Amino acid sequence: MFIVKEGYPFIGVPLLLGLIFVLAPLGKIFFAVGIICILVALFCVYFFRDPIVKITQGEGLIISPCNGTVLEVSENEKEKVIRVFLSVLDVHLQRSPIAGKVTKVEYKPGKFLKAMEPEAHIVNEQNIITIENENGTYLVKQVAGILARRCVSWVKPGDVLKTGDKIGVIKFSSQVDLHMPKNIEIKVKKDDKVVSGVTIFGTIR
């Protein structure tokens, strides 16, 4: 298991303070604060983990871009959409659901409603990563939540991705949406637990 680089400050600062407070003869209160700081650092190690996974491979497969719980599966006249809620216990890095080329990365400032609120994916701060291949256009939306104050994209327009390549991370609880062409046959449903790079979201008909 690795740690994403965005987690280093969240781990290093409380760990350093914790060690100072625990090791220095400053009294019981500072010792207790030091223990709390160390526990916070250990939680951040867990939160920003980057576990090794075996990427699911197969012709015409669309895999999950994130870990979490499916909030909603919907479709309209243009596309199909899967929305996933990420709790603070889920791995928070995102992966490309397909092989393709990044054609656009767009940042949209916004609010910080709870990720499970119905309008959060519309009004909250978000990054929209557009990936295209011969089968269509796919949008991965990193949506900030009440605790998630930063959506980080690791890709840029022109990047060529393989299925399962890492594309970004969201700091703390949040939501990820995947917008897909209408010809995708969905393989997940509401309340399903999904794993980034592993769970099959859909197949091309």
Side-chain angles (χ1 to χ4, degrees):
M1 185 181 72
F2 300 95
I3 304 296
V4 300
K5 62 183 184 298
E6 284 78 8
Y8 294 164
F10 294 91
I11 298 167
V13 173
L15 180 61
L16 179 60
L17 290 175
L19 291 175
I20 292 173
F21 291 156
V22 167
L23 298 177
L26 299 173
K28 292 182 178 180
I29 294 179
F30 282 97
F31 183 85
V33 172
I35 293 297
I36 292 172
C37 288
I38 291 173
L39 291 175
V40 168
L42 290 175
F43 170 76
C44 288
V45 168
Y46 178 77
F47 179 86
F48 287 103
R49 67 197 185 278
D50 178 6
I52 298 172
V53 299
K54 183 177 181 180
I55 304 300
T56 301
Q57 301 289 343
E59 186 69 27
L61 296 183
I62 295 87
I63 63 169
S64 176
C66 62
N67 287 53
T69 304
V70 176
L71 279 175
E72 179 185 21
V73 178
S74 64
E75 69 175 290
N76 55 42
E77 65 279 1
K78 295 182 179 180
E79 61 184 3
K80 293 184 178 179
V81 182
I82 299 175
R83 307 190 195 284
V84 180
F85 171 70
L86 288 68
S87 77
V88 292
L89 300 179
D90 288 313
V91 174
H92 269 58
L93 68 85
Q94 288 78 58
R95 296 177 180 271
S96 179
I98 57 166
K101 184 176 182 179
V102 178
T103 57
K104 188 176 182 181
V105 178
E106 181 183 7
Y107 166 74
K108 287 188 175 181
K111 298 181 180 180
F112 296 95
L113 301 181
K114 292 180 181 178
M116 298 186 73
E117 293 289 336
E119 66 272 29
H121 69 281
I122 300 172
V123 301
N124 277 18
E125 176 175 309
Q126 57 193 263
N127 274 336
I128 304 172
I129 302 171
T130 302
I131 307 169
E132 295 184 8
N133 64 16
E134 67 277 7
N135 297 311
T137 300
Y138 300 76
L139 273 64
V140 179
K141 287 188 177 182
Q142 302 170 294
V143 184
I146 192 170
L147 293 179
R149 296 289 161 163
R150 179 98 187 273
C151 299
V152 180
S153 170
W154 293 339
V155 295
K156 62 185 183 303
D159 287 351
V160 177
L161 305 174
K162 300 186 298 294
T163 301
D165 279 353
K166 300 169 188 177
I167 59 174
V169 67
I170 308 175
K171 298 179 180 179
F172 303 104
S173 64
S174 46
Q175 178 180 326
V176 173
D177 299 345
L178 177 60
H179 295 241
M180 301 170 288
K182 286 206 69 174
N183 65 333
I184 302 301
E185 183 178 350
I186 302 297
K187 297 295 184 181
V188 295
K189 61 185 184 303
K190 180 178 169 60
D191 296 327
D192 280 356
K193 299 291 184 180
V194 298
V195 178
S196 176
V198 176
T199 304
I200 298 173
F201 262 19
T203 57
I204 298 172
R205 291 176 179 173

